[in-house]
Amino acid sequence: MRTLLSGMVITSCALIFWNCDHKQAAADQTMTFTRIDSLTDYYLALQDSMLQSWNVMIHDDNQKIKAMHNLLHELMVSSPELNEQLADYEQRLDQLVRLRYTQKTMANTDVVEEYDFASNSLVTELLSLAEAQPEFTYNTTLQKLADEIQLADQRVNNYREEYDAIVADYNRFLEKYRAEMKDIDAHTPIEKRPMFQMVSDE
């Protein structure tokens, strides 16, 4: 009888311990899943923010180039004697789009510097040319386009700062959670993104 009772007690204790271990393992698994799930959500949000910031920046740059094309067209209409010079500017503007950096090529600072030099030169020369025309004082279209180009040019650094701030967060995330990245995104190479260096990556 005592042996039977002892056996029942041992069996009951074993069941209790097994049940506790099983619950703890399940809790651990749930905790791990929740953490990875949360990290994945944040990782995807960072990627979305980077893409959105990049698209807004490039869209604004495209609008600046479009405004420069429109300025040239307006000058061709109002000052036909400048058409040969303006045609050269059109060619340089078309070339500017081909020179522009991408999210990958901007890792080479020379690519960004070359684009910036070409863009800044065009902005400065076109605004000077437009403002030098006698009709600039009363041609509201010319004035509006010149203002649009100037304001867009002034926004460049702001957009780059915003983009760099997001990329810096993204790069820090990759560094901090490198071990978990195989569970977060197994299909994307774990590579830090290049920045304009408007903010520190530290």
Side-chain angles (χ1 to χ4, degrees):
M1 183 69 178
R2 185 176 295 178
T3 305
L4 179 61
L5 186 60
S6 298
M8 289 176 62
V9 169
I10 292 170
T11 303
S12 297
C13 289
L15 284 171
I16 289 168
F17 284 126
W18 179 85
N19 195 32
C20 288
D21 287 345
H22 183 69
K23 285 181 179 177
Q24 184 61 46
D28 290 344
Q29 188 175 6
T30 302
M31 190 182 298
T32 302
F33 174 77
T34 303
R35 181 170 179 273
I36 293 298
D37 194 47
S38 177
L39 288 174
T40 302
D41 285 345
Y42 187 61
Y43 171 74
L44 294 174
L46 282 172
Q47 285 193 320
D48 287 345
S49 295
M50 272 193 303
L51 182 60
Q52 183 180 5
S53 178
W54 179 268
N55 287 342
V56 168
M57 177 176 59
I58 296 302
H59 174 73
D60 198 63
D61 201 50
N62 285 336
Q63 291 301 108
K64 181 175 72 175
I65 291 171
K66 182 180 177 183
M68 287 194 276
H69 276 298
N70 291 340
L71 182 72
L72 286 172
H73 176 74
E74 188 65 25
L75 286 171
M76 286 175 182
V77 172
S78 61
S79 307
E81 71 278 5
L82 298 174
N83 278 4
E84 187 175 340
Q85 183 181 1
L86 297 174
D88 289 338
Y89 280 125
E90 280 283 2
Q91 287 183 351
R92 285 172 62 186
L93 262 180
D94 290 338
Q95 196 174 30
L96 186 63
V97 178
R98 293 191 292 272
L99 277 176
R100 189 161 57 202
Y101 46 83
T102 67
Q103 285 176 292
K104 288 187 176 181
T105 62
M106 62 177 278
N108 182 348
T109 55
D110 290 341
V111 173
V112 179
E113 287 174 5
E114 184 181 5
Y115 180 81
D116 285 351
F117 179 79
S119 178
N120 294 338
S121 298
L122 276 168
V123 168
T124 301
E125 291 174 36
L126 287 180
L127 290 180
S128 296
L129 183 63
E131 291 166 2
Q133 303 311 305
E135 64 269 22
F136 186 80
T137 54
Y138 58 82
N139 188 324
T140 55
T141 302
L142 274 179
Q143 292 171 8
K144 182 182 175 183
L145 289 168
D147 286 344
E148 189 178 333
I149 294 164
Q150 202 162 26
L151 288 171
D153 201 49
Q154 291 169 359
R155 287 193 295 268
V156 170
N157 283 347
N158 291 336
Y159 283 127
R160 289 183 179 183
E161 283 176 12
E162 290 171 12
Y163 180 76
D164 271 7
I166 298 168
V167 172
D169 285 344
Y170 177 82
N171 289 344
R172 281 192 291 268
F173 180 92
L174 293 186
E175 190 65 37
K176 186 174 182 179
Y177 299 107
R178 184 169 292 275
E180 290 88 347
M181 284 307 299
K182 63 181 184 299
D183 296 317
I184 294 170
D185 187 354
H187 306 293
T188 305
I190 310 306
E191 296 176 350
K192 288 186 176 183
R193 299 287 182 94
M195 305 193 315
F196 293 103
Q197 297 301 327
M198 307 298 287
V199 298
S200 173
D201 194 16
E202 297 301 322

